[in-house]
Amino acid sequence: MAAAASAITPSRTPRLPRRVGPTAGGGGGGGAEAGGGRWWGRRRRGLLRAVQRHLRPPRGDPRREAKDARLRGAPLPARHMWPSLIAKCKEGGADVIETYIFWNGHEPAKGQYYFEGRFDIVKFAKLVAAEGLFLFLRIGPYACAEWNFGGFPVWLRDIPGIEFRTDNEPYKAEMQSFVTKIVNIMKEEKLYSWQGGPIILQQIENEYGNIQDRYGQAGKRYMLWAAQMALALDTGVPWVMCRQTDAPEQILDTCNAFYCDGFKPNSYNKPTIWTEDWDGWYADWGEPLPHRPAQDSAFAVARFYQRGGSLQNYYMYFGGTNFERTAGGPRQITSYDYDAPIDEYGILRQPKWGHLKDLHAAIKLCEPALIAVDGSPQYVKLGPMQEAHVYSSGKIHTNGSISENGQICSAFLANIDEHKYVSVWIFGKSYSLPPWSVSILPDCENVAFNTARVGTQTSVFTVESGSPSYSSRHKPRTLSLIGGPYLSSTWWTSKEPIGKWGEGSFAAQGILEHLNVTKDISDYLSYTMSVNISDEDVTYWNSKGVLPSLTIDQIRDVARVFVNGKLAGSKVGHWVSLNQPVQLVQGPNELTLFSEIVGLQNYGAFLEKDGAGFRGQVKLTGLSNGDIDFTNSLWTYQIGLKGEFSRIYSPENQGYAKWSSMQNDDTQTPFTWFKTMFDAPEGNDPVAIGLGSMGKGQAWVNGHLIGRYWSIVAPESGCPSSCNYAGTYGDSKCRSNCGMATQSWYHIPREWLQESGNLLVLLEETGGDPSQISLQVHYTKTICSKISETYYPPLSSWSRASNSRATLNTVAPELHLQCDEGHVISKIIFASYGTPSGGCQNFSVGNCHASTTLDLVTEACVGNNKCSISVTNDVFGDPCRKVVKDLAVEAECSPPLATEEPRDDM
């Protein structure tokens, strides 16, 4: 089955009716509220101690330094990417990797299990452990995750009497069987923490609280059953139910949202856990691309820990690609880039990755103070929308300096105002807080990090459709290109027959539900019948100057109408009506209705009832003697496409289709197969294929299905020319890519390619121009940074004294630049120390400028993968006294072969 080779991505969550937003506490009550979820106080016993044992590494283990055990969501993409991705998560400050277990991937047919390739969860878990990280296993087995059918296998809906996710015996039996299977594998492989493995947490169900009321009392009974079933498996580590406010005492209820600083678990004995921190959002075909600014993501995380959070997971830290037909529905794109800190191709998205890395380092500097608090931190109201939370080993007098106090102390200062800079007074000093920001003071004196002040580099790589990095659509940028602009000048075509083509076709009375027929082995199902048209009808239409229409009450996702083998028209939508004029001739006419799925529903109650295809009546209207109802007529059904079932996309099956050389003047017709051969780009950089010149279809490389492609264009409106990070984020804020195809570029994993002779096969549904397809390598081309001499010292200059107090060795701020792994800085495009203006790719020299800047930066950086430069007069001299100076640099990255002999890194 094709589905068995699909990529795994962990959970995300669809649009939800309730959000937990950032709020400012008030007075003493605010302090109690902010610290109520802290789980390391001495008063919490029982289950709490069991949780703590598994969340904390043993004494002496360096991982114990990470009190907060932050998690980063990670999927199971193409396997060759796993080690690099896990390493980048760790480098970014992760302590734990979170991943989903997809039921439909691991049990593609009832009782037939698959744990190979990209579904080798044991291999993945061992790689996580080898990096010294923990694992959070979200078994579910319902996932959502913008994944096809939410992770449910389609065969599940065919079990007699079954109802999903409720007190239903057939469903509970299958769910228990699968969850037990996964747990037993983890035990057998000794992957639980008490066995020496990495698994410290696991999840049963997923956001059931959002829909539980739809099932009445049966929903409540099911939830309690799921909890007890999971506990009875005796895994030895805690179970989580996210967004389940009525979770039993032995189960940890957690938060999923854009903000969770106001979240409280349903028991004083439970830690405050943020299972899904949505640092981006998914994209639908025909919609703009969401983007969440790095400053707001950092603000949300800092507020969570400021107000008592224990453990937090980014959803997503790496989004990846939904290869094959694993993308969910309705109509979610193949890319699952998600604006994540690591992009779809495995490259660091800057500044988001670097800014969050600095945040994590700053929070970890506060660890001794965070765990020293018994109960709640001290709460200090600093203004109408400003507040401080102070963590210390004893009572702190916040009105004066604490430098001589001797206590362990860390503080978070927050400004919730969306518009104003505010100066606040605490610890005998004044601190300036940007709007919508949190400052972190590991020693209750010096600011190590502010969420609104970005000190990491900006990287410019793919920002066109399919990779939701924020940009104005008026300034599109493209992938860096090595090689020629087009993939191939030689193409072959093969025509796909419409309607009945033979194998697997059958006749049945009435309109059958799409999924009941196909069992999701294909996106496609055709319904064909013969319609006899009289001479009177033709005369009637000619005299009126009208055409008859084919009407369907409801269709989902794409419906196409063919008359005598020719496309009459199409309709796109989710359970919308179709009214298509058709050109019929006297005598018999072959009418074919073509139903296409673009991802099965992945969220909501009663998923088993959603289905696909057509609903209601199917009629031919506008005849001389009235309408004809075809709803209960005899239809011939054909599952899938002939080329699909002949596997003509595989190198070994090329003889199963009649291929013809495509000429430049060939007219492209719907449902045509295209193929060509191509060589892989040199090097190891990720590969992307541009399919913007095509219409809609699917693409295979060497027999591997990249996924669906669709060059549907997003609306012209809805994308601002700039994005303000401040203020509550929602998925419609800071969108980009308006007026362009939602996705044009598609990831081809390197492990699918050979040096030469690669086969690309496309199924094109609507017509396109394959000669315009390009193949490009994806890497960071341009890197920029701008740092003030008043910026904070590098976080590496902080250390801990013998009493665990955080201490700062005062040094100058530093500007850091780094290319992708295997690339070097080949050229400095711009460098100025003084008063440069503008932003990345738009810097200009100001009135104050040190003339030596370019030479000094070139000497320090060119030929190296990374470099760091102190932002101080000691390096550049003082070009203008008594003026605050900035260092701005724009550099170009290239593969090593394109540069001079590289020097050693600084």
Side-chain angles (χ1 to χ4, degrees):
M1 295 285 291
S6 303
I8 294 183
T9 56
S11 142
R12 219 261 3 109
T13 307
R15 298 174 176 85
L16 301 169
R18 179 177 62 87
R19 291 175 179 160
V20 181
T23 55
E33 178 182 338
R38 187 70 60 181
W39 58 277
W40 46 78
R42 288 189 292 274
R43 289 173 290 174
R44 294 171 171 83
R45 308 293 184 192
L47 170 66
L48 178 58
R49 291 185 180 271
V51 173
Q52 200 166 14
R53 281 198 300 274
H54 295 293
L55 287 182
R56 302 280 294 163
R59 293 187 183 277
D61 190 317
R63 290 175 291 179
R64 185 156 186 161
E65 294 300 304
K67 159 256 140 189
D68 46 297
R70 280 179 306 279
L71 293 91
R72 314 290 176 246
L76 302 184
R79 284 214 324 180
H80 79 289
M81 296 176 68
W82 293 357
S84 173
L85 290 170
I86 295 168
K88 288 172 182 175
C89 290
K90 181 178 181 179
E91 183 185 357
D95 305 307
V96 186
I97 301 293
E98 174 188 283
T99 192
Y100 259 122
I101 299 292
F102 286 113
W103 191 352
N104 56 7
H106 292 295
E107 194 177 1
K110 182 175 168 57
Q112 298 179 19
Y113 296 100
Y114 185 86
F115 292 94
E116 301 175 20
R118 294 193 300 279
F119 286 91
D120 190 346
I121 186 62
V122 171
K123 174 70 171 178
F124 183 77
K126 290 180 177 180
L127 287 173
V128 169
E131 277 287 354
L133 300 176
F134 294 118
L135 186 65
F136 179 2
L137 206 61
R138 302 183 74 178
I139 300 175
Y142 167 72
C144 180
E146 288 72 63
W147 185 270
N148 197 50
F149 213 30
F152 285 131
V154 171
W155 58 259
L156 194 66
R157 72 196 294 271
D158 295 329
I159 294 176
I162 198 164
E163 293 181 57
F164 293 1
R165 305 177 77 191
T166 189
D167 189 16
N168 174 269
E169 293 306 322
Y171 174 75
K172 292 192 296 183
E174 296 297 335
M175 175 179 169
Q176 183 170 3
S177 176
F178 178 74
V179 173
T180 302
K181 174 76 173 180
I182 298 300
V183 166
N184 287 343
I185 289 174
M186 299 301 108
K187 286 183 179 179
E188 290 166 7
E189 295 289 339
K190 301 187 184 305
L191 293 175
Y192 284 107
S193 57
W194 54 271
Q195 299 174 299
I199 301 174
I200 60 168
L201 280 175
Q202 57 207 340
Q203 181 176 307
I204 192 72
E205 253 299 341
N206 181 40
E207 296 186 335
Y208 188 65
N210 295 341
I211 63 168
Q212 180 173 307
D213 288 347
R214 299 283 302 279
Y215 295 96
Q217 287 302 308
K220 179 73 170 183
R221 293 195 300 272
Y222 163 71
M223 183 274 295
L224 294 173
W225 169 84
Q228 292 305 315
M229 181 269 290
L231 292 169
L233 292 173
D234 193 25
T235 62
V237 302
W239 287 91
V240 162
M241 280 183 165
C242 62
R243 278 187 169 251
Q244 193 68 49
T245 57
D246 57 349
E249 181 67 19
Q250 302 92 333
I251 301 290
L252 306 179
D253 64 306
T254 66
C255 181
N256 291 358
F258 288 116
Y259 305 91
C260 283
D261 56 287
F263 169 74
K264 293 291 180 292
N266 64 9
S267 169
Y268 185 67
N269 293 320
K270 297 181 182 182
T272 303
I273 296 178
W274 191 355
T275 332
E276 293 185 11
D277 170 3
W278 304 332
D279 57 357
W281 203 250
Y282 61 89
D284 294 334
W285 297 111
E287 294 295 326
L289 299 174
H291 164 73
R292 188 176 187 185
Q295 299 96 319
D296 184 62
S297 281
F299 171 78
V301 174
R303 285 290 286 163
F304 177 72
Y305 288 109
Q306 174 178 2
R307 301 184 68 194
S310 303
L311 180 151
Q312 164 258 342
N313 168 69
Y314 292 105
Y315 191 92
M316 308 284 294
Y317 199 70
F318 163 76
T321 309
N322 282 331
F323 298 114
E324 310 244 349
R325 297 185 302 111
T326 56
R331 303 188 307 280
Q332 285 153 3
I333 68 173
T334 298
S335 169
Y336 203 55
D337 192 277
Y338 215 82
D339 198 40
I342 303 175
D343 85 346
E344 176 181 3
Y345 300 86
I347 294 177
L348 304 183
R349 171 173 278 113
Q350 300 280 27
K352 183 172 279 189
W353 184 86
H355 192 53
L356 294 175
K357 177 186 178 182
D358 288 347
L359 168 67
H360 308 153
I363 292 174
K364 288 184 178 183
L365 287 171
C366 302
E367 179 180 8
L370 292 173
I371 62 175
V373 173
D374 181 17
S376 303
Q378 286 180 242
Y379 174 81
V380 182
K381 190 170 181 61
L382 301 174
M385 301 188 75
Q386 296 76 38
E387 62 185 10
H389 291 75
V390 181
Y391 293 85
S392 62
S393 53
K395 181 70 175 178
I396 295 292
H397 297 289
T398 59
N399 291 330
S401 173
I402 65 159
S403 57
E404 305 300 325
N405 191 294
Q407 295 192 44
I408 299 171
C409 183
S410 296
F412 296 78
L413 315 182
N415 177 16
I416 313 300
D417 194 297
E418 299 180 18
H419 308 288
K420 298 177 182 178
Y421 276 81
V422 177
S423 292
V424 298
W425 185 268
I426 190 173
F427 306 129
K429 294 176 64 176
S430 177
Y431 297 88
S432 178
L433 303 180
W436 200 255
S437 75
V438 176
S439 285
I440 299 175
L441 287 62
D443 59 354
C444 285
E445 183 176 2
N446 296 288
V447 177
F449 180 87
N450 178 273
T451 60
R453 297 188 68 188
V454 178
T456 193
Q457 73 182 37
T458 294
S459 297
V460 180
F461 47 89
T462 310
V463 289
E464 79 289 78
S465 53
S467 182
S469 296
Y470 188 82
S471 68
S472 167
R473 78 173 193 87
H474 302 294
K475 296 178 64 177
R477 301 167 186 159
T478 60
L479 287 164
S480 302
L481 174 64
I482 293 179
Y486 299 122
L487 177 71
S488 176
S489 60
T490 305
W491 288 86
W492 291 267
T493 66
S494 180
K495 183 62 180 171
E496 172 68 32
I498 299 300
K500 179 182 176 181
W501 49 261
E503 182 180 341
S505 65
F506 65 93
Q509 209 80 28
I511 299 295
L512 303 181
E513 194 272 329
H514 182 127
L515 212 51
N516 285 339
V517 178
T518 67
K519 309 303 181 187
D520 200 36
I521 64 172
S522 171
D523 279 352
Y524 309 105
L525 177 65
S526 66
Y527 307 61
T528 301
M529 67 174 300
S530 181
V531 181
N532 196 57
I533 297 300
S534 68
D535 180 58
E536 289 80 9
D537 284 325
V538 175
T539 301
Y540 173 76
W541 296 328
N542 289 338
S543 66
K544 297 290 187 181
V546 297
L547 290 175
S549 290
L550 192 284
T551 66
I552 305 176
D553 286 350
Q554 290 183 306
I555 67 97
R556 176 251 122 137
D557 299 318
V558 180
R560 305 192 192 279
V561 179
F562 290 86
V563 176
N564 299 322
K566 295 183 178 180
L567 179 64
S570 304
K571 182 75 173 185
V572 175
H574 188 69
W575 299 126
V576 297
S577 63
L578 176 146
N579 188 335
Q580 178 60 52
V582 290
Q583 183 80 53
L584 301 172
V585 299
Q586 182 182 349
N589 293 259
E590 184 179 78
L591 173 66
T592 297
L593 308 182
F594 211 82
S595 171
E596 302 175 21
I597 291 175
V598 190
L600 297 180
Q601 186 75 25
N602 56 261
Y603 177 73
F606 311 110
L607 279 182
E608 73 280 4
K609 296 178 172 60
D610 186 69
F614 309 139
R615 287 178 178 172
Q617 293 184 318
V618 178
K619 292 183 177 181
L620 184 64
T621 65
L623 284 79
S624 58
N625 294 321
D627 300 344
I628 301 178
D629 190 342
F630 294 146
T631 309
N632 297 311
S633 298
L634 183 68
W635 294 85
T636 297
Y637 289 83
Q638 180 70 65
I639 300 172
L641 307 176
K642 183 177 181 179
E644 185 182 22
F645 277 78
S646 300
R647 296 175 59 85
I648 66 172
Y649 48 77
S650 297
E652 62 271 19
N653 291 342
Q654 291 307 290
Y656 291 173
K658 184 178 180 180
W659 294 101
S660 302
S661 178
M662 188 184 85
Q663 304 302 314
N664 290 337
D665 57 353
D666 281 355
T667 301
Q668 303 307 326
T669 57
F671 286 89
T672 299
W673 293 85
F674 296 94
K675 76 167 183 176
T676 194
M677 307 297 291
F678 68 96
D679 295 339
E682 295 181 359
N684 297 313
D685 292 315
V687 178
I689 186 169
L691 299 175
S693 65
M694 305 304 292
K696 179 183 181 296
Q698 298 180 18
W700 291 260
V701 171
N702 294 330
H704 299 279
L705 179 55
I706 295 173
R708 305 180 184 97
Y709 68 84
W710 198 356
S711 299
I712 189 169
V713 174
E716 289 280 344
S717 60
C719 298
S721 58
S722 62
C723 172
N724 183 6
Y725 76 88
T728 304
Y729 179 77
D731 61 280
S732 62
K733 181 181 180 182
C734 294
R735 289 184 165 195
S736 66
N737 217 57
C738 288
M740 295 190 287
T742 306
Q743 183 172 356
S744 294
W745 294 94
Y746 299 80
H747 182 199
I748 303 177
R750 278 277 182 180
E751 66 178 335
W752 292 0
L753 297 174
Q754 51 202 25
E755 186 174 332
S756 61
N758 296 286
L759 174 67
L760 171 67
V761 176
L762 307 173
L763 166 67
E764 173 55 50
E765 300 174 16
T766 63
D769 185 359
S771 69
Q772 302 297 305
I773 292 174
S774 61
L775 189 73
Q776 304 183 357
V777 293
H778 175 47
Y779 67 93
T780 302
K781 177 69 173 177
T782 301
I783 54 178
C784 306
S785 187
K786 184 177 181 180
I787 301 293
S788 170
E789 64 175 338
T790 62
Y791 195 72
Y792 316 118
L795 287 159
S796 59
S797 64
W798 285 82
S799 59
R800 286 183 184 160
S802 57
N803 64 354
S804 293
R805 289 185 62 187
T807 59
L808 174 62
N809 301 314
T810 303
V811 296
E814 292 178 352
L815 180 145
H816 295 267
L817 295 174
Q818 183 170 2
C819 298
D820 299 337
E821 183 179 357
H823 289 238
V824 296
I825 300 169
S826 56
K827 184 179 181 182
I828 303 301
I829 306 298
F830 177 91
S832 176
Y833 179 72
T835 56
S837 60
C840 188
Q841 296 189 307
N842 194 33
F843 286 132
S844 60
V845 173
N847 294 328
C848 171
H849 168 69
S851 60
T852 59
T853 310
L854 181 60
D855 289 341
L856 290 170
V857 173
T858 298
E859 175 66 23
C861 298
V862 170
N864 300 316
N865 170 259
K866 59 184 176 181
C867 62
S868 60
I869 305 162
S870 293
V871 185
T872 172
N873 294 337
D874 294 341
V875 174
F876 299 100
D878 190 349
C880 43
R881 306 182 88 181
K882 298 183 179 181
V883 173
V884 174
K885 289 164 283 293
D886 298 330
L887 174 61
V889 179
E890 177 182 333
E892 184 175 289
C893 294
S894 301
L897 293 178
T899 67
E900 300 175 358
E901 189 69 23
R903 313 172 208 179
D904 293 335
D905 288 350
M906 294 183 66

